[in-house]
Amino acid sequence: MKNSRRKFIGNTALLGTALATTPSFGFHFLKKSAPTDDIVGHGDFKYRVVRDWAKMSVGHNPILNCHEMQMDSKGRLLMIGDHTANNILVFDKSGKLLDAWGTGYPGGHGLTLHNEGGEDILYIVDCGYFVDKTGKAQAQAGQVFKTTVDGRLIFPLPHPQTIGVYKPDEAYRPTETAIGPNGDIYVADGYGSDYILQFNHKGEFIRKWGGQNNADKNYNLVNAHGVAVDYRDKNNPVLVVTSRTENAFKFFTLSGKYIKTLNLPGAFVCRPVLDDNNIYSGVCWSETKEGEKWVRDTGFVTILDAQNKVVSNPGGEAPNYIDGKLQTMHNSQNPIFNHGHDVCVDEDKNLYVCQWNAHHTAPIKLERI
């Protein structure tokens, strides 16, 4: 694990309900009032909250944490969670549950869908952290699997220690993947050693960068929770990498050269989700106005425009810039979300928000207005 207690807290943020509700691990609790306004967001990005969008029984299809969601070529919404009765839940856009499968991902966390030769392919990340049947938090090595859209294994990625990429004392607990324009696979080791690992389309290792001990501190990553390919400049796609504990996205070339840092003060952002010219992200925690961090039930969603300016914070307070500098962001006084973990955007620009540690609830829909 990490050297400091605070780093331990940041890197084990998804250990599950049992861990998150244990005060000895450093989480704080705020008393929350019930939401009174069903319209959230700011500017041109406002939404109607549909809390009961998912038409399902969590008694029949149990949920621990809704971690991520992707839309396939058929318009179906695939959600990954960490309950091994059904790691993958498949919905239509009305919220009807169409399918449920997957029993082998106790740390089910990352889900990337990529169209390869006209076929939808999944990259499933088991981060290695899970809650056992007794409610105790456990940890094991993480894994990344390439599968068909219905779960048939194509191949697993190798553990970096087995191929000599990691030292024996370096933990590997990946959280996310992204697929480059040539099929290269990028893995964010966000709960392990904070590297970005690059593999080719066959799963053969190419390089790694990041971690926390670089001479050039711009390359350091702290809780490298997410990674995505940014195609907004079609002639120059780049990687966007989350450094969640630093409240930042860092931009790199596809070969790992540092470009720039985008600071998002107060927002512990999860993976960047690119749609048209916007970046969307779940905010798992936000800093309180008293300056406290890691306070539970302080999540929201943040939305950035083509210039990477925050334009809306559904479930949070309006973004505020003073002399061009973004001020610390907070959740709203009447919060909608517990811990925003991922955002899926459909063709009508509605959002589906997955949450970690949200009392075993299904994703919430934000209907664009």
Side-chain angles (χ1 to χ4, degrees):
M1 300 301 292
K2 301 298 176 181
N3 294 329
S4 69
R5 180 170 175 271
R6 175 50 57 90
K7 176 62 179 169
F8 174 81
I9 296 168
N11 271 13
T12 59
L14 64 93
L15 277 178
T17 302
L19 191 155
T21 55
T22 305
S24 63
F25 281 90
F27 289 94
H28 304 281
F29 294 81
L30 292 179
K31 184 177 180 181
K32 296 295 183 180
S33 57
T36 57
D37 188 356
D38 283 337
I39 305 299
V40 296
H42 309 94
D44 295 330
F45 293 85
K46 293 182 179 178
Y47 304 85
R48 179 175 293 104
V49 179
V50 184
R51 294 180 181 82
D52 58 352
W53 164 79
K55 300 173 178 64
M56 60 173 290
S57 166
V58 294
H60 188 266
N61 294 103
I63 291 173
L64 287 176
N65 298 285
C66 297
H67 277 137
E68 295 192 344
M69 180 174 274
Q70 294 270 271
M71 179 176 286
D72 70 10
S73 60
K74 297 179 181 178
R76 304 182 307 166
L77 296 157
L78 286 72
M79 186 213 87
I80 189 168
D82 50 4
H83 199 298
T84 53
N86 40 219
N87 283 123
I88 304 292
L89 298 177
V90 183
F91 300 90
D92 67 15
K93 284 181 287 187
S94 74
K96 179 182 178 181
L97 184 64
L98 302 175
D99 197 5
W101 56 267
T103 59
Y105 311 113
H109 184 278
L111 187 67
T112 299
L113 189 146
H114 187 247
N115 189 285
E116 300 184 8
E119 180 183 4
D120 287 336
I121 296 295
L122 296 178
Y123 292 82
I124 296 173
V125 180
D126 185 316
C127 70
Y129 283 123
F130 63 99
V131 177
D132 66 20
K133 293 181 180 180
T134 69
K136 294 183 179 179
Q138 303 289 347
Q140 61 187 18
Q143 298 182 82
V144 177
F145 304 91
K146 180 178 181 178
T147 78
T148 62
V149 77
D150 57 359
R152 178 177 58 84
L153 179 65
I154 299 173
F155 62 75
L157 288 182
H159 190 292
Q161 287 183 2
T162 66
I163 57 175
V165 174
Y166 273 22
K167 298 175 183 177
D169 62 343
E170 290 183 309
Y172 180 59
R173 296 191 179 99
T175 48
E176 188 58 75
T177 58
I179 311 303
N182 64 349
D184 282 357
I185 305 164
Y186 298 89
V187 178
D189 187 12
Y191 291 142
S193 297
D194 285 325
Y195 290 109
I196 302 299
L197 298 97
Q198 183 179 357
F199 300 83
N200 67 18
H201 71 282
K202 297 179 181 179
E204 299 166 335
F205 178 75
I206 298 174
R207 64 173 62 89
K208 79 179 194 300
W209 70 90
Q212 296 186 25
N213 297 301
N214 298 285
D216 183 346
K217 301 303 182 185
N218 289 315
Y219 284 86
N220 287 353
L221 298 169
V222 188
N223 193 192
H225 190 272
V227 59
V229 180
D230 181 353
Y231 289 100
R232 290 178 294 178
D233 181 348
K234 296 180 180 179
N235 296 318
N236 186 34
V238 298
L239 285 180
V240 188
V241 177
T242 307
S243 190
R244 189 164 69 175
T245 299
E246 294 184 295
N247 301 157
F249 289 139
K250 294 191 175 184
F251 290 71
F252 297 88
T253 68
L254 297 180
S255 59
K257 182 179 179 181
Y258 173 80
I259 300 172
K260 64 181 178 181
T261 296
L262 175 62
N263 292 306
L264 299 165
F268 291 78
V269 285
C270 295
R271 76 162 162 181
V273 176
L274 281 295
D275 181 78
D276 290 340
N277 288 319
N278 299 107
I279 298 179
Y280 300 77
S281 183
V283 176
C284 209
W285 300 271
S286 60
E287 185 176 323
T288 70
K289 292 185 177 180
E290 293 72 34
E292 292 183 281
K293 300 178 181 180
W294 310 109
V295 176
R296 70 151 297 151
D297 297 330
T298 56
F300 57 92
V301 172
T302 192
I303 305 172
L304 290 70
D305 67 11
Q307 287 72 46
N308 297 326
K309 180 180 180 180
V310 179
V311 291
S312 182
N313 285 327
E317 293 185 346
N320 180 29
Y321 284 81
I322 298 177
D323 296 328
K325 183 178 180 180
L326 179 63
Q327 304 301 294
T328 301
M329 296 188 287
H330 309 280
N331 71 328
S332 67
Q333 293 300 309
N334 294 307
I336 299 296
F337 304 108
N338 302 109
H339 302 274
H341 196 272
D342 192 40
V343 181
C344 183
V345 188
D346 70 18
E347 67 271 24
D348 297 318
K349 308 307 177 187
N350 302 310
L351 309 184
Y352 305 84
V353 183
C354 294
Q355 296 192 81
W356 167 79
N357 201 15
H359 310 292
H360 313 287
T361 54
I364 293 175
K365 181 178 181 179
L366 298 185
E367 193 174 79
R368 185 78 176 263
I369 59 174

